[in-house]
Amino acid sequence: MTVPRKQKISHKASQFTESVIREMTRVALKYDAVNLAQGFPDFPCPPELKRAACQAVEEDINQYAITWGDKAFREAIAEKVRWYLGLHVDPEQEITVTCGSTEAMAAAILATVNPGEEVIVFEPYYENYGPDAILAGATPRYVPLHPPEWTFDETQLRQAFSDRTKAIIINTPHNPTGKVFTREELSFIAELCQQWDVLALTDEIYEHILYDQTQHVALATLPGMGERTITINGLSKTYSVTGWRIGYILANSHLTAAIRKVHDFLTVGAPAPLQRAGVAAMQLPANYYEELAKLYHQKRARILQILDAVGIPYFLPKGAYYVFADISAFGYKNDVEFTEFLIKEIGVAVVPGSSFFSNADKGKNFIRFCFSKKLETLAKAQERLLKLQAILQTTR
Ligand SMILES: Cc1ncc(COP(=O)(O)O)c(C=O)c1O
């Protein structure tokens, strides 16, 4: 079909595809598959948040909030990051509230990166980062993380930095591998950022979902990094409210001023009553986070038990709520074909590994399971996944 000239889509929009992760949820619904694809909990959020949200609506907090965020919410964020991360931020000048950390990353990149500049992204990566860089007219420069520990090679990382580099994106705990960057790794990155005068954009949305005594280190707390780190976070994962679309950005006042302008013209602001409920989230006591970590520990144990029973090898996640698994033993052509089979014939939706790589071939042996699900949901998935054992027996 010839497309009339004015109907042609932009060069930028034609450089990326729809999100595979979100598409998998639609396919899962179509085939009534258990959805272990998209990263959202299927269990309720804390009652304190629900009550605060209802109360805010009842109290008529229903008009635009201040574009860069409700004052009470920004103050509550500043207090929470002070005690949890050891970060001291000025809620008046160094915080921007956004529509999820998705908008946060897009706004931060659009506010700081110019066309022609490069943004370093570790690969595999959460699929939004590539399109975010492209929307800013920048070039993503991918640096591989190597299995089984998903470490980077220091020489490869050093070689990726140049005069063209404007920023590096670090996602810790990491989606899809569950890697948690160590203090040593972050210090190495910090040194390169300072040497090349590069900004660090850190996506720390899984900061509280950690296993086996692993510690989360905020890059902004390392020496020399407070001024050049843009810390991105949100309510979605820690408080099980992915549909609320509330995120936030911490950055120095100069960067924040630019980010706030971009944010204003992108969305005006995040939902006002839900920002008010965000105050209740930020004020939850420390034991909320301990219980959350315990809950996820139990869920991780359950999904690993399922994968062990079926015989699917995987990389042990140290953080976040995904398991990246190796499907090479099943003898399928690639991850997309295997995922289709899994959804349509077995009844379980996952995300094909290739959606986390710039080159589909690199991801063809992987799939990602999300385990932020009720134990009943995981049990249902187990029942279905056990059918895979028969295939493994014939291919071995
Ligand atoms: C690493 C990472 N960043 C950001 C997001 C999106 O977060 P939000 O709901 O705050 O936009 C996700 C969602 O899966 C994610 O895995």
Side-chain angles (χ1 to χ4, degrees):
M1 182 182 95
T2 22
V3 180
R5 194 172 63 84
K6 292 207 171 148
Q7 299 275 321
K8 283 195 177 150
I9 62 168
S10 71
H11 296 313
K12 282 179 180 169
S14 54
Q15 282 178 63
F16 49 85
T17 59
E18 265 181 60
S19 154
V20 179
I21 300 178
R22 267 85 78 187
E23 186 194 348
M24 285 306 129
T25 286
R26 296 193 294 271
V27 182
L29 283 171
K30 184 168 162 195
Y31 290 95
D32 196 23
V34 179
N35 188 357
L36 303 189
Q38 196 177 355
F40 63 85
D42 66 350
F43 46 87
C45 76
E48 293 89 336
L49 270 71
K50 291 190 208 176
R51 279 197 295 271
C54 293
Q55 192 184 337
V57 172
E58 287 293 342
E59 285 175 2
D60 268 320
I61 316 281
N62 294 315
Q63 311 308 327
Y64 301 125
I66 294 174
T67 171
W68 52 76
D70 177 74
K71 187 173 164 62
F73 185 38
R74 279 181 285 114
E75 284 171 353
I77 293 169
E79 174 54 20
K80 154 83 192 326
V81 302
R82 189 196 56 72
W83 73 256
Y84 181 59
L85 298 175
L87 269 180
H88 296 270
V89 290
D90 173 1
E92 285 310 318
Q93 297 195 60
E94 296 178 328
I95 299 181
T96 310
V97 176
T98 56
C99 294
S101 65
T102 298
E103 192 227 330
M105 184 59 82
I109 294 182
L110 287 168
T112 57
V113 180
N114 287 310
E117 292 178 330
E118 289 184 0
V119 177
I120 297 176
V121 178
F122 290 107
E123 185 175 34
Y125 52 87
Y126 173 56
E127 63 175 355
N128 281 33
Y129 306 147
D132 284 345
I134 292 165
L135 287 172
T139 310
R141 169 103 192 220
Y142 298 105
V143 172
L145 293 172
H146 300 283
E149 294 296 323
W150 303 100
T151 41
F152 57 83
D153 177 291
E154 292 190 353
T155 309
Q156 279 179 333
L157 183 60
R158 188 175 280 117
Q159 283 168 352
F161 278 77
S162 74
D163 287 335
R164 290 183 300 280
T165 315
K166 183 63 181 280
I168 178 170
I169 297 180
I170 299 116
N171 168 216
T172 184
H174 185 252
N175 172 9
T177 64
K179 172 191 176 61
V180 178
F181 282 72
T182 63
R183 187 176 288 277
E184 290 66 37
E185 287 174 317
L186 293 172
S187 300
F188 184 80
I189 296 169
E191 252 172 57
L192 287 172
C193 287
Q194 289 171 66
Q195 186 184 330
W196 289 95
D197 192 16
V198 160
L199 291 173
L201 294 118
T202 66
D203 178 341
E204 303 183 19
I205 191 136
Y206 299 103
E207 64 178 347
H208 287 285
I209 304 176
L210 299 161
Y211 310 101
D212 311 327
Q213 274 81 52
T214 308
Q215 298 286 319
H216 170 70
V217 178
L219 186 62
T221 59
L222 296 192
M225 291 309 287
E227 280 301 294
R228 61 174 67 250
T229 301
I230 301 179
T231 305
I232 287 170
N233 215 319
L235 301 189
S236 285
K237 314 290 178 174
T238 305
Y239 308 98
S240 305
V241 286
T242 59
W244 281 17
R245 316 307 307 127
I246 304 284
Y248 57 88
I249 307 172
L250 317 176
N252 75 38
S253 57
H254 165 72
L255 294 172
T256 294
I259 290 168
R260 285 178 174 182
K261 280 194 288 181
V262 174
H263 156 72
D264 188 4
F265 288 105
L266 279 177
T267 64
V268 178
L274 303 182
Q275 291 191 53
R276 197 48 73 83
V279 176
M282 293 295 140
Q283 289 175 347
L284 285 171
N287 82 334
Y288 169 76
Y289 304 99
E290 285 153 24
E291 292 305 316
L292 183 80
K294 272 194 219 150
L295 180 83
Y296 274 110
H297 191 271
Q298 187 190 26
K299 293 189 190 302
R300 184 187 68 160
R302 187 71 179 95
I303 188 87
L304 299 183
Q305 182 193 35
I306 297 171
L307 297 181
D308 285 337
V310 180
I312 306 177
Y314 54 80
F315 303 96
L316 183 71
K318 300 210 170 87
Y321 52 49
Y322 307 101
V323 189
F324 213 40
D326 185 334
I327 50 160
S328 36
F330 289 92
Y332 273 74
K333 194 172 99 204
N334 60 38
D335 57 318
V336 174
E337 220 177 67
F338 184 75
T339 302
E340 258 177 40
F341 158 78
L342 212 57
I343 296 179
K344 292 183 190 166
E345 309 296 330
I346 302 291
V348 175
V350 296
V351 177
S354 54
S355 62
F356 304 99
F357 290 87
S358 54
N359 169 345
D361 222 40
K362 289 191 204 158
K364 71 172 195 239
N365 288 331
F366 304 117
I367 56 171
R368 187 197 77 176
F369 291 89
C370 167
F371 58 86
S372 63
K373 306 294 167 191
K374 292 186 234 167
L375 292 179
E376 300 97 274
T377 311
L378 295 176
K380 200 165 156 194
Q382 175 177 26
E383 237 172 66
R384 297 178 180 196
L385 286 169
L386 282 173
K387 289 185 252 162
L388 288 171
Q389 281 173 326
I391 304 179
L392 279 176
Q393 271 148 20
T394 55
T395 53
R396 272 177 186 152

